[in-house]
Amino acid sequence: NAGVTQTPKFQVLKTGQSMTLQCAQDMNHEYMSWYRQDPGMGLRLIHYSVGAGITDQGEVPNGYNVSRSTTEDFPLRLLSAAPSQTSVYFCASSYSRDSETQYFGPGTRLLVL
Amino acid sequence: GENVEQHPSTLSVQEGDSAVIKCTYSDSASNYFPWYKQELGKRPQLIIDIRSNVGEKKDQRIAVTLNKTAKHFSLHITETQPEDSAVYFCAAGMEYGNKLVFGAGTILRVKS
């Protein structure tokens, strides 16, 4: 198993550009989520999904969209990038409601100029 | 919503000493408390977790204690080694693990 994979590893955007951060897992996990990590602020939940076709907002959802058309994939879309979205983004997944252990992807480092 | 505070923000210990990191949470409904270790440039990895029906859990040199009444939980690392140097995050959550709220992190430095 590849586990949780994320692409790209690093991205530079200009203010106003849009892009999609990809996340995929091959462990048949029901639950997937996106976090952003900023210095001194830990990890903050952006959006999460409890299964295909179901998504919900976390702590900091503004400026981001998600969809979950398949169990495996959970892309995060930045609609109009802003410098405040410069961060490291982590995708995570867990097996089911009875298994809280989250497996994190390697992260995507995003710089918005 | 849930709020998690973590202290200290940095901690330096001598190799072989113990390290303790403390977290407090605000929502009494939270029932799951994991600890993650993150090495520089790497992803967070779960090192130990505890549920609210347990007061203490141990795994070799690592232990976690939970005080539900006071709404705080702590990570204890004994006999620290240089490879324990990393950032440690606590988190609190309920229902499903995907909705965790994380503390701001503690940078642990183990000096040899």
Side-chain angles (χ1 to χ4, degrees):
Chain A
N1 286 352
V4 182
T5 58
Q6 290 183 240
T7 56
K9 289 184 179 179
F10 181 70
Q11 183 72 46
V12 179
L13 289 178
K14 293 182 180 178
T15 296
Q17 286 185 316
S18 62
M19 80 159 294
T20 299
L21 280 63
Q22 301 291 344
C23 174
Q25 51 87 13
D26 60 358
M27 298 175 283
N28 201 29
H29 284 177
E30 292 184 23
Y31 298 91
M32 298 184 75
S33 51
W34 277 101
Y35 293 87
R36 60 177 289 174
Q37 184 174 32
D38 302 297
M41 299 188 73
L43 293 129
R44 291 183 292 167
L45 183 65
I46 304 171
H47 285 285
Y48 67 100
S49 169
V50 299
I54 306 169
T55 64
D56 206 346
Q57 296 181 350
E59 295 175 71
V60 289
N62 293 341
Y64 307 95
N65 275 358
V66 292
S67 59
R68 185 96 180 270
S69 56
T70 66
T71 300
E72 294 78 19
D73 300 298
F74 191 43
L76 178 72
R77 281 184 290 277
L78 280 70
L79 307 173
S80 178
S84 61
Q85 293 179 304
T86 293
S87 189
V88 180
Y89 291 85
F90 287 99
C91 179
S93 71
S94 61
Y95 182 63
S96 72
R97 63 183 295 168
D98 296 324
S99 173
E100 293 92 348
T101 301
Q102 293 203 56
Y103 298 88
F104 281 85
T108 293
R109 190 173 295 273
L110 178 66
L111 175 62
V112 183
L113 302 174
Chain B
E2 176 64 275
N3 182 53
V4 177
E5 294 190 357
Q6 183 172 346
H7 300 280
S9 56
T10 60
L11 178 60
S12 290
V13 299
Q14 204 66 36
E15 182 178 359
D17 288 350
S18 295
V20 181
I21 302 170
K22 298 181 180 180
C23 289
T24 59
Y25 61 99
S26 60
D27 193 335
S28 56
S30 289
N31 57 13
Y32 176 64
F33 308 92
W35 286 88
Y36 285 83
K37 175 183 180 182
Q38 186 178 28
E39 297 175 350
L40 190 63
K42 301 283 183 65
R43 72 192 78 187
Q45 294 198 306
L46 181 72
I47 55 172
I48 195 167
D49 56 12
I50 192 168
R51 290 173 179 259
S52 60
N53 59 350
V54 174
E56 184 175 358
K57 185 175 178 181
K58 206 171 181 182
D59 183 4
Q60 299 182 355
R61 296 186 298 109
I62 294 173
V64 57
T65 58
L66 172 65
N67 183 326
K68 285 168 51 181
T69 304
K71 287 190 279 190
H72 68 69
F73 56 112
S74 300
L75 177 71
H76 306 253
I77 306 174
T78 59
E79 300 172 23
T80 54
Q81 300 166 3
E83 52 264 37
D84 293 329
S85 296
V87 181
Y88 291 81
F89 293 97
C90 63
M94 50 187 157
E95 297 181 354
Y96 314 130
N98 280 275
K99 207 172 181 184
L100 293 173
V101 176
F102 283 79
T106 296
I107 300 172
L108 174 64
R109 295 191 184 95
V110 180
K111 297 176 285 187
S112 55

